[in-house]
Structures are given as C-alpha cells and as structure tokens.
Amino acid sequence: MANVKVYNTSGAEVGTIDLNDDIFGIEASEHAMHMAVVQYLANQRQGTQSAKTRAEVRGGGRKPWRQKGTGRARQGSTRSPQWTGGGVVFAPKPRDYSFKLNKKVKRLALKSALSTKVQEEKIIVLEDLALAEVKTKEMAKILENIKAGKALIVMDGNNKNVMLSARNIPDVKTAGVNTINVYDLLKYNTLVLTKDAVAKIEEVYA
C-alpha cells in the first residue's frame, strides 16, 4: 500500500495514511483516461449552433435570368450557396454531442487518474478542512501552508464555507467525492484530499 503523509491546515505533518492499492496504486490506463476526458468535454458542449440551408433562406424563388443565351453561368436561385445572402452548404444544426461510456471504463479512468497523482507525488492529505466563516484570505493561507498551487480540493461532505472561500482563488476548485471527474483530476497540478474524503473514495470505488 502507498503510504502518504497527513498534514494539518498549518502545514505541519501529523501522521500518515495507507492508501488502497486497488484505487490509488493501479497501473494507469492512458486510453481510459483519454476517453473519459473526451466524454467530459463532449458532454459540456451546448450543441446550439445553427445556420440556414438554401431551403430555409428567405427569397430566391425566381430564376435570376434565363437558362441560355446570356453568356453568363446558369443560375437557378439567388439564394444558392455561392451567392451573397445565400444558404450555407451542410449548415450546422442543433445536436447533442454527448455519448455514454461504459461504467467499468469510467471507474478505470478515475482510478488511473488517482493513481497517477500518487505516483507523481502530487497528492496532499489533510487531517481536516473546515472554516468557521467564509474567508478567502484564510483559505489562501491554508493552501500556502500546504504548498498547493493549482489545486483540486476534494471533501467528503458539502462544506459550504470552504467552497465559498475557495471560489475566488485562481486555479483552485472544490469538489465532493461524488462529483470528482477525470478531467479535473488531470487539469489541476495538486490533488488535496481530506482524510474523510479518502475513506469515502475507498468505500465507493473499492
């Protein structure tokens, strides 16, 4: 089992914790992580783009000039794609870009991302993380104490004060155990977990 140091909010080491190798110590699957990131980004797309085809553009019902005898190229409508004000060839239409990923692949991708953080020593475990009030300055100080720059903070519960205190800090994001995803795990340099979050992850994904 991987053994990781546990820190308090002052940045002092207060112990160690053993991480489950079935979650934090597997051989990372780059393909699974890639598929999970592609799915996440595809699912974020609104797909609301729209343009009109030549059939939908207003006007152009009359043939601009006769078919033969003018010396000019034959034209059937002033709303053909080559005309100014004409329709768009293969015009984009609203569509859904999202797609499904097998549950086993999603779990493998998440475990691979977590294992990668452990292997790269970019994981910090906190004994506890709680704030009595919403205070961005206090949250920034905690991150400075534990030397976490661009960080994803994962907590077991929904600690509103921590979430509100961290939301205005650049390159910092908070998440619950049930909302973590591979994209965020790979995007942020440091993964900050509370001990309760580690226990919850091991309970859910073991």
Side-chain angles (χ1 to χ4, degrees):
M1 281 190 174
N3 190 268
V4 178
K5 294 176 181 177
V6 178
Y7 298 89
N8 60 21
T9 52
S10 300
E13 184 183 337
V14 294
T16 59
I17 186 172
D18 290 325
L19 301 178
N20 191 331
D21 282 344
D22 290 337
I23 300 169
F24 295 94
I26 70 167
E27 185 179 345
S29 169
E30 288 188 13
H31 177 67
M33 288 191 289
H34 172 74
M35 288 300 296
V37 170
V38 170
Q39 188 214 23
Y40 176 86
L41 294 174
N43 291 354
Q44 300 306 303
R45 296 184 69 173
Q46 286 185 312
T48 55
Q49 75 280 31
S50 183
K52 292 181 179 180
T53 64
R54 61 180 293 174
E56 297 165 323
V57 178
R58 183 182 176 90
R62 183 174 66 87
K63 189 173 174 68
W65 51 77
R66 67 179 192 268
Q67 179 81 348
K68 303 170 74 67
T70 63
R72 289 181 289 187
R74 56 196 175 194
Q75 301 290 337
S77 170
T78 56
R79 295 298 179 265
S80 295
Q82 72 271 21
W83 286 71
T84 300
V88 177
V89 182
F90 306 127
K93 293 295 177 186
R95 56 169 287 197
D96 180 13
Y97 287 92
S98 65
F99 65 92
K100 287 186 177 180
L101 210 57
N102 290 340
K103 188 181 287 186
K104 285 184 178 179
V105 176
K106 290 175 75 173
R107 290 173 75 92
L108 175 61
L110 191 67
K111 290 179 181 180
S112 296
L114 291 170
S115 297
T116 300
K117 288 296 181 190
V118 175
Q119 290 160 16
E120 295 175 351
E121 297 182 353
K122 291 183 178 178
I123 186 169
I124 297 172
V125 178
L126 287 177
E127 186 176 33
D128 189 29
L129 181 59
L131 294 174
E133 58 179 336
V134 177
K135 203 77 174 176
T136 300
K137 189 175 181 180
E138 187 68 28
M139 191 68 214
K141 187 178 179 182
I142 292 172
L143 292 172
E144 185 181 341
N145 290 341
I146 61 176
K147 296 180 175 60
K150 187 176 181 182
L152 173 66
I153 303 168
V154 180
M155 298 166 293
D156 173 31
N158 183 15
N159 192 322
K160 192 175 181 181
N161 286 351
V162 173
M163 293 174 68
L164 293 176
S165 299
R167 67 178 178 178
N168 280 338
I169 303 175
D171 296 326
V172 172
K173 182 177 181 179
T174 58
V177 172
N178 59 336
T179 60
I180 55 174
N181 58 74
V182 177
Y183 177 81
D184 283 340
L185 287 171
L186 298 179
K187 178 183 176 182
Y188 292 90
N189 294 336
T190 308
L191 173 62
V192 180
L193 293 165
T194 62
K195 283 184 71 175
D196 289 339
V198 172
K200 188 72 173 177
I201 289 171
E202 291 182 346
E203 178 189 331
V204 173
Y205 295 101

